[in-house]
Amino acid sequence: VARCQSENRTVWDELEAIYRRHGYHCTAQKSLKDAGAEGKARINAILDTLRNDAPTQIGDARIIRYRDLSICTEWDRITGEERILDLPASNVLSYELETGAQILVRPSGTEPKIKFYFEVCEACVPDDTFNDFRVRGRQSLDALSETFMGFLDL
């Protein structure tokens, strides 16, 4: 704050400069709650489908990296490389798209539900206003989550 004040800038000005340098990151979370034995089976079926028949693209964007943290393995879809990750095992699936977007999927540890996390990073062009890249970021995020949920018929 003191540096911004000394440069006659606001904290908001500094935040916008960071967005312009690194992109505007948007995130969203969706979940599907499904109680009972039938719900647990449905959640497990979704995870099994994503594990055993991992998508290669979401909409028009190719998935370039896929991680299954239950077996601590990452697959690079560009180089074909498979590598073991030095992480504790966890029931999480991760997809990185060629656009830089990311999707993570995991079951809840405390409730009968599955959670989906989405992230996009919208580049800022010089003539953009803050609202321009914010709106584009939200639109990209909405399109990503809707396309992925549609892929799963949810």
Side-chain angles (χ1 to χ4, degrees):
V1 174
R3 183 175 60 83
C4 288
Q5 287 175 336
S6 73
E7 295 172 358
N8 205 22
R9 295 168 40 92
T10 66
V11 173
W12 186 255
D13 293 334
E14 184 64 20
L15 183 59
E16 187 172 329
I18 291 169
Y19 290 147
R20 288 186 184 284
R21 251 189 332 273
H22 301 286
Y24 180 72
H25 290 257
C26 300
T27 61
Q29 185 261 327
K30 294 187 179 239
S31 59
L32 170 69
K33 192 169 188 175
D34 215 342
E38 187 175 300
K40 184 175 181 172
R42 183 175 180 206
I43 289 168
N44 287 335
I46 292 168
L47 289 166
D48 288 345
T49 296
L50 289 171
R51 273 197 176 91
N52 301 325
D53 191 20
T56 57
Q57 88 179 47
I58 301 298
D60 293 334
R62 289 181 311 145
I63 294 173
I64 60 170
R65 194 165 290 110
Y66 162 62
R67 296 174 191 95
D68 184 345
L69 299 183
S70 71
I71 57 173
C72 301
T73 304
E74 173 183 88
W75 294 270
D76 186 315
R77 296 246 173 97
I78 294 173
T79 66
E81 179 185 0
E82 178 180 323
R83 70 182 188 106
I84 301 301
L85 301 171
D86 186 22
L87 297 169
S90 181
N91 196 5
V92 176
L93 300 170
S94 169
Y95 304 92
E96 183 179 330
L97 284 70
E98 65 187 339
T99 59
Q102 295 188 65
I103 302 168
L104 285 99
V105 181
R106 72 173 184 84
S108 171
T110 58
E111 300 177 81
K113 69 179 172 179
I114 186 168
K115 297 179 178 183
F116 305 91
Y117 300 89
F118 303 94
E119 179 181 6
V120 299
C121 180
E122 188 64 39
C124 306
V125 295
D127 293 337
D128 277 349
T129 65
F130 171 76
N131 197 54
D132 291 337
F133 53 80
R134 185 189 64 79
V135 167
R136 273 198 324 271
R138 295 305 310 175
Q139 289 171 339
S140 296
L141 184 64
D142 291 345
L144 175 66
S145 64
E146 289 170 16
T147 302
F148 188 76
M149 299 304 275
F151 168 79
L152 294 173
D153 291 323
L154 298 176

